[in-house]
Amino acid sequence: MRNIRLIISYDGTNFHGFQTQPKLRTVQGQLQEAIEQLTGEYVQVIGSGRTDAGVHAEGQVANFHTSSKIPVDKWPHALNAVLPDDLVVRAAREVSPTFHARFDAKGKIYRYQIDRSVFPDVFVRRYAWHVSYPLDVGKMAQAASHMVGCHDFTSFCNAATPLEDRRRHVTDIRISEAGHLLHVTVSGKGFLWNMVRIMAGTLVDVGKGRIMPDEIPTIIHAQDRTYAGVTAPAHGLTLVQVEYED
Amino acid sequence: MRNIRLIISYDGTNFHGFQTQPKLRTVQGQLQEAIEQLTGEYVQVIGSGRTDAGVHAEGQVANFHTSSKIPVDKWPHALNAVLPDDLVVRAAREVSPTFHARFDAKGKIYRYQIDRSVFPDVFVRRYAWHVSYPLDVGKMAQAASHMVGCHDFTSFCNAATPLEDRRRHVTDIRISEAGHLLHVTVSGKGFLWNMVRIMAGTLVDVGKGRIMPDEIPTIIHAQDRTYAGVTAPAHGLTLVQVEYED
């Protein structure tokens, strides 16, 4: 059996998230179907993590074990030939039999995109949250600096998150402007359910003046979801990159 | 009666072009329906020109006459509230009663977008032609320079174009690289049916080495569609701007 590692990209608009669900169109489901079509084997595709319905990926990483003899450099072409056009395999390589896309992930980078135009830019409407209300980007950057570090992020995760250790290490948050678009790029060793979306939503509330930057430490300390801001919509979020030790 | 001039933007993917057609979803049709919903008046919306099915616009210009008392600065908000999300009114102003979006247009700028990635970038798949074959951009620029000027563009229009004066003045063609994307930006006083798409397709054939840059004058001189290259697909084309004397 060989262990194949893929880098994949998808437009999350028409997927019910990454993970297989009965009768729903998911990234994992489409990948497994494509592999089965090529090899006749039913395999389990392991992603670096789930992405919610509507969330996109530029560089999601996944792996699967196969007895197929297809040379590794042929996998992207072969898979892309049978995959739908909103899911693309960008690269494939053979890795050690023990490599596990989820357990071995050392860090992830997410980008949250905000369209600040007065009227929505139709070309990014599927990939950006339209916020026409004026945002104070300086205050957003101040607030973001309080989020960096190792904290218990209970206030920044979906209230239905199972009980678990909610400490996470956010290594960097960058806020950058590109014309009418605002990018919030968050790097960390791991994230809780909806964590980046709640961080982005809270930063937008800061930008609007509804939350002050120096309230962030209090919000974190509260360990209570109701203290933080809104959950930003899924369609503005993209998983940019997953980092591994190699 | 007031004459209202709009700047509109649309994602052409799900439109059967600009011009109304019975039972088909068109930009003009959607605008007319929206205006009727707001005012109760059936108006004729005049565009600066038709765009083909699948072609996009950042800055299409249109006008219509209305007896509605809606203040002109309220029109974009009012229309966007009833328009579908792939069609956005960016601006509105009242113009002289004789202004005509088509007859008064002095020039247009189109951009043709090419995705040069090995595998398609899913996020621009609706807005760029995917060409993984390596392109010689220097040769494309050389070829483009031969297209600039006042020529009979019979070789660069759809063979079904009605008999008319096919001389057109192309004032500028710029080829620019933005990462894996290649932009061909064409400015001119007016264009024939499919002209920019055939220019873009021919430039890609030059980039692939199938046509030499110095063959362009011969192709123009032939006044025969079969001499030029392929018609690039509609979805890579965007009407960027329409110019008027004011």
Side-chain angles (χ1 to χ4, degrees):
Chain A
M1 293 288 272
R2 297 152 73 208
N3 189 6
I4 309 287
R5 172 181 145 162
L6 305 174
I7 299 177
I8 61 179
S9 178
Y10 46 88
D11 177 338
T13 311
N14 298 319
F15 287 105
H16 291 269
F18 185 86
Q19 199 178 35
T20 48
Q21 292 183 64
K23 294 186 185 173
L24 293 178
R25 185 176 189 268
T26 66
V27 176
Q28 187 188 353
Q30 295 285 320
L31 282 169
Q32 291 179 175
E33 261 182 45
I35 295 165
E36 192 168 1
Q37 241 180 288
L38 292 177
T39 65
E41 287 177 335
Y42 175 78
V43 302
Q44 176 90 3
V45 168
I46 300 156
S48 75
R50 307 169 189 181
T51 50
D52 284 343
V55 172
H56 317 287
E58 279 177 18
Q60 171 68 289
V61 174
N63 74 291
F64 63 95
H65 294 86
T66 177
S67 56
S68 159
K69 299 278 185 293
I70 299 175
V72 73
D73 59 305
K74 301 293 184 208
W75 271 104
H77 277 284
L79 283 169
N80 289 332
V82 295
L83 283 167
D85 75 349
D86 52 355
L87 172 52
V88 169
V89 173
R90 293 170 46 197
R93 63 190 183 89
E94 194 170 343
V95 287
S96 97
T98 62
F99 173 82
H100 189 285
R102 183 149 64 97
F103 299 151
D104 291 346
K106 296 292 178 228
K108 283 182 187 167
I109 302 174
Y110 280 97
R111 182 178 58 240
Y112 198 92
Q113 184 164 255
I114 297 158
D115 172 10
R116 304 173 73 192
S117 312
V118 177
F119 302 110
D121 174 346
V122 291
F123 302 104
V124 298
R125 74 189 187 285
R126 292 151 61 107
Y127 315 116
W129 183 20
H130 179 239
V131 179
S132 58
Y133 195 103
L135 299 176
D136 183 326
V137 177
K139 280 190 181 157
M140 290 172 73
Q142 260 181 279
S145 69
H146 291 297
M147 293 174 178
V148 174
C150 195
H151 305 290
D152 182 307
F153 280 99
T154 298
S155 298
F156 291 88
C157 69
N158 189 302
T161 305
L163 276 179
E164 58 175 307
D165 184 350
R166 272 96 174 258
R167 280 174 303 178
R168 290 294 183 275
H169 191 176
V170 171
T171 52
D172 190 42
I173 308 183
R174 262 156 224 258
I175 300 188
S176 56
E177 295 179 76
H180 59 294
L181 300 175
L182 190 67
H183 290 153
V184 178
T185 307
V186 183
S187 310
K189 296 196 174 162
F191 295 91
L192 297 161
W193 187 19
N194 286 170
M195 180 169 153
V196 181
R197 289 168 57 190
I198 299 169
M199 291 168 80
T202 302
L203 291 173
V204 163
D205 280 342
V206 169
K208 290 177 174 175
R210 293 185 187 161
I211 294 175
M212 293 295 115
D214 58 12
E215 286 179 65
I216 301 296
T218 313
I219 293 171
I220 293 173
H221 194 73
Q223 299 186 17
D224 180 334
R225 171 68 188 91
T226 64
Y227 280 62
V230 298
T231 304
H235 72 276
L237 187 61
T238 301
L239 171 59
V240 176
Q241 199 182 309
V242 187
E243 288 155 343
Y244 294 91
E245 212 126 74
D246 55 6
Chain B
M1 293 289 273
R2 298 153 73 207
N3 190 5
I4 309 288
R5 170 181 145 162
L6 305 175
I7 300 177
I8 60 179
S9 177
Y10 46 88
D11 176 337
T13 312
N14 298 319
F15 287 105
H16 292 268
F18 185 87
Q19 199 178 35
T20 48
Q21 292 184 63
K23 296 184 185 174
L24 293 179
R25 186 176 187 268
T26 66
V27 176
Q28 188 187 353
Q30 294 285 319
L31 281 170
Q32 292 179 174
E33 261 182 45
I35 294 164
E36 193 169 2
Q37 242 181 286
L38 292 177
T39 65
E41 289 177 335
Y42 175 79
V43 303
Q44 177 91 4
V45 168
I46 300 156
S48 76
R50 306 170 190 183
T51 50
D52 286 343
V55 172
H56 318 287
E58 278 178 16
Q60 170 70 288
V61 173
N63 75 293
F64 63 95
H65 294 85
T66 177
S67 56
S68 160
K69 297 281 184 292
I70 299 175
V72 71
D73 58 306
K74 300 293 183 207
W75 271 104
H77 278 285
L79 284 169
N80 289 331
V82 295
L83 284 168
D85 76 349
D86 52 355
L87 172 53
V88 169
V89 173
R90 292 172 45 199
R93 63 189 184 89
E94 194 171 341
V95 287
S96 100
T98 60
F99 173 82
H100 190 286
R102 181 149 64 97
F103 298 151
D104 292 347
K106 296 291 177 227
K108 283 182 188 167
I109 302 175
Y110 280 98
R111 183 179 56 240
Y112 198 91
Q113 183 164 253
I114 297 158
D115 172 10
R116 304 173 74 192
S117 312
V118 177
F119 302 110
D121 174 345
V122 291
F123 302 104
V124 297
R125 72 188 190 286
R126 291 151 62 105
Y127 315 116
W129 183 20
H130 179 241
V131 179
S132 59
Y133 194 103
L135 299 176
D136 183 326
V137 177
K139 281 192 181 157
M140 291 172 71
Q142 259 181 278
S145 70
H146 291 297
M147 295 175 179
V148 174
C150 195
H151 305 290
D152 182 308
F153 280 99
T154 298
S155 298
F156 291 87
C157 70
N158 189 302
T161 305
L163 275 180
E164 57 174 311
D165 184 350
R166 273 96 174 260
R167 278 174 304 175
R168 290 294 182 277
H169 190 175
V170 171
T171 51
D172 191 42
I173 308 183
R174 260 156 226 258
I175 300 187
S176 56
E177 296 179 78
H180 60 294
L181 299 175
L182 190 66
H183 291 154
V184 178
T185 307
V186 184
S187 311
K189 295 194 175 166
F191 294 93
L192 298 162
W193 186 19
N194 286 170
M195 180 170 151
V196 181
R197 289 168 56 192
I198 299 169
M199 290 169 81
T202 303
L203 290 174
V204 164
D205 280 342
V206 169
K208 290 177 175 177
R210 293 183 187 164
I211 294 175
M212 292 297 115
D214 58 12
E215 287 178 65
I216 300 296
T218 314
I219 293 170
I220 294 173
H221 194 73
Q223 298 185 18
D224 179 335
R225 170 69 188 91
T226 63
Y227 279 63
V230 298
T231 304
H235 74 276
L237 186 62
T238 301
L239 172 59
V240 175
Q241 200 182 309
V242 187
E243 288 156 343
Y244 294 91
E245 212 127 73
D246 53 7

